[in-house]
Amino acid sequence: MRIFSRVEYDGTNFFGWQTQPNKISVQKELQNAISQIVGCQISIVGAGRTDAGVHAKNQGFHFDIPDEIQNKILDFDKFSYQINSVLPQTIAVFGMQKVSNDFHARFCAIERTYHYYISLKKNPLSFNYAVFFGYKLNLEKIKNELKSIIGTHSFESFCSSNNQLDNFFCAINFADIIKTNDDFFYIKISANRFLYNMVRSIVGTLVDISRGKINLSLLEIIAKKNRKFAGTTAPAKGLVLENVRYEKF
């Protein structure tokens, strides 16, 4: 039986989503918790990988339960409660349901949405979840730059330079600034896929463009297809994987 679930986590103290030797990861904590509850080793597959320090609100993952122990899972609400009871306080599962055996949390996803939270003043209460850059930002310029990248482009300039990819194309469905109050806003970007460090590279570049440190536009940097033309990579703590969307649910 294949099960799909959502998971929310505070990534502050994790070395990202993916299991790594001798490091604490979200994937490892989930696998350990589920395995403990069902009584056998379980592996999970996530909709994507988040970097160290990045948070998630609606990450998706799936896992398979052996036929011989399926009778242990008759109530998904109870099953979720049991898993949450042994997970760290910084991770919670929800929205668990049975899916077809050909469902894949990564490959069946049709859209990912990220929010990058920025504070325009020093704010201790949001220190772990928003970034205060310490510069005066031209929000109208940032908004216009974001609007310009809606569509399909090769984002090689905004991908980590040590990548091993052969496809850099991503279809951006939405990109804009959402203000929550006079001192706080987030950058929302939705796409069919994202490259490693792509959102953080875009945000860091937008800050550099706003400051006048970079004189190229995002589209001009995209056309260069070279990471050296983009700006700094923004800190991980401001980034949240807000949602992963599927056709079925």
Side-chain angles (χ1 to χ4, degrees):
M1 175 171 65
R2 180 158 294 184
I3 297 174
F4 172 78
S5 179
R6 297 285 186 174
V7 59
E8 178 177 324
Y9 52 88
D10 178 338
T12 303
N13 296 317
F14 293 103
F15 287 87
W17 167 269
Q18 188 177 16
T19 297
Q20 303 173 60
N22 303 316
K23 292 182 178 180
I24 185 171
S25 70
V26 178
Q27 185 181 33
K28 185 175 182 179
E29 292 293 328
L30 284 168
Q31 289 180 164
N32 288 346
I34 298 170
S35 299
Q36 180 180 336
I37 297 302
V38 301
C40 69
Q41 187 61 44
I42 297 295
S43 296
I44 69 171
V45 177
R49 302 171 184 175
T50 49
D51 301 338
V54 175
H55 317 291
K57 186 175 180 181
N58 276 296
Q59 168 71 295
F61 69 96
H62 80 258
F63 57 97
D64 293 328
I65 296 294
D67 294 341
E68 59 269 22
I69 61 170
Q70 288 183 17
N71 59 348
K72 289 185 177 182
I73 307 168
L74 302 176
D75 184 330
F76 285 121
D77 287 338
K78 180 181 179 181
F79 187 40
S80 296
Y81 177 83
Q82 291 172 321
I83 295 169
N84 282 328
S85 70
V86 296
L87 280 170
Q89 293 299 316
T90 48
I91 305 177
V93 297
F94 61 98
M96 199 168 283
Q97 59 186 284
K98 181 180 178 180
V99 291
S100 62
N101 289 334
D102 62 351
F103 175 88
H104 195 285
R106 178 185 173 190
F107 298 127
C108 291
I110 58 174
E111 184 182 70
R112 283 95 169 160
T113 296
Y114 280 93
H115 289 181
Y116 195 95
Y117 290 87
I118 297 173
S119 179
L120 296 175
K121 68 175 184 179
K122 185 178 180 181
N123 190 333
L125 292 181
S126 64
F127 177 78
N128 287 328
Y129 312 104
V131 176
F132 170 58
F133 287 101
Y135 310 113
K136 184 176 177 61
L137 300 178
N138 185 333
L139 300 191
E140 195 60 34
K141 189 170 188 177
I142 291 175
K143 179 185 280 284
N144 290 336
E145 289 290 337
L146 285 167
K147 293 286 190 182
S148 73
I149 65 170
I150 294 175
T152 301
H153 309 279
S154 175
F155 283 90
E156 188 171 355
S157 293
F158 294 100
C159 183
S160 177
S161 57
N162 61 350
N163 72 83
Q164 297 180 339
L165 297 175
D166 55 11
N167 175 20
F168 298 92
F169 282 91
C170 304
I172 306 295
N173 305 320
F174 184 95
D176 204 354
I177 284 176
I178 312 294
K179 290 200 72 175
T180 56
N181 58 50
D182 289 340
D183 300 312
F184 205 80
F185 71 95
Y186 60 90
I187 291 172
K188 176 180 178 180
I189 304 180
S190 299
N192 66 326
R193 66 191 289 258
F194 288 92
L195 310 180
Y196 180 63
N197 276 344
M198 176 176 158
V199 177
R200 291 170 58 197
S201 297
I202 289 174
V203 172
T205 301
L206 286 169
V207 172
D208 287 343
I209 290 174
S210 173
R211 294 174 58 201
K213 190 176 178 180
I214 292 179
N215 295 320
L216 297 173
S217 68
L218 286 184
L219 284 179
E220 289 173 326
I221 295 170
I222 285 172
K224 297 287 186 182
K225 296 185 179 181
N226 192 317
R227 180 65 181 86
K228 71 178 184 179
F229 291 99
T232 55
T233 301
K237 66 180 183 178
L239 187 60
V240 177
L241 176 54
E242 182 70 16
N243 193 36
V244 180
R245 188 163 67 88
Y246 298 89
E247 284 186 351
K248 294 183 178 180
F249 39 82

